[in-house]
Amino acid sequence: QVQLAESGGGLVPAGGSLKLSCVASGRSLMGYRMSWFRQAPGKEREFVATITWSGEITSYADSVKGRFTVSRGNTKNTVYLEMNSLKSEDTAVYYCAARVGGTLDTVSSVSTYRDWGQGTQVTVSS
């Protein structure tokens, strides 16, 4: 099992920026895909971004495309989510998730991820 720990959340004005981090530990992370999800109050958890083990391939939800950037650290056990031009609708708890295998068409599916972090709160004030 992989342990995930997010950090970097906080309160930021609309138009501002934040950079979230997710540190993974535990078993070998070879081949693990890492993804970010978020959950706003009263809403279902939704996909934000994903990155492959190599860090070469990324994918984003339409709502964040062009504003958010997901990247992977050199040691591969840290994943970042750089968020720019933040909007009030970006307010949510942001979760890091990990999985190995699966098909490309399921990368945005919550149920396909076994390992999750505890989440970090991002609040964007309008």
Side-chain angles (χ1 to χ4, degrees), residues 19 30-31 36 39 55 65 69 88 97-99 109-110 115 117 121:
K19 187 172 183 177
M30 178 71 73
W36 288 94
Q39 188 166 18
K65 205 171 291 184
T69 302
S88 57
R99 78 176 204 191
S109 174
V110 170
D115 300 305
Q121 176 70 48

Side-chain angles (χ1 to χ4, degrees), residues 37-107:
F37 289 79
R38 66 186 182 186
Q39 188 166 18
K43 294 188 177 181
E44 293 187 353
R45 193 168 298 189
E46 65 175 5
F47 169 77
V48 175
T50 187
I51 188 167
T52 55
W53 160 254
S54 67
E56 293 178 351
I57 301 175
T58 59
S59 180
Y60 300 89
D62 288 342
S63 59
V64 306
K65 205 171 291 184
R67 300 188 298 122
F68 290 13
T69 302
V70 61
S71 61
R72 202 149 188 164
N74 291 334
T75 60
K76 300 285 194 290
N77 71 330
T78 303
V79 178
Y80 304 99
L81 184 68
E82 185 167 2
M83 306 184 294
N84 298 311
S85 302
L86 283 161
K87 306 174 182 179
S88 57
E89 50 263 45
D90 294 318
T91 295
V93 176
Y94 283 71
Y95 297 91
C96 179
R99 78 176 204 191
V100 61
T103 56
L104 284 176
D105 61 341
T106 64
V107 295

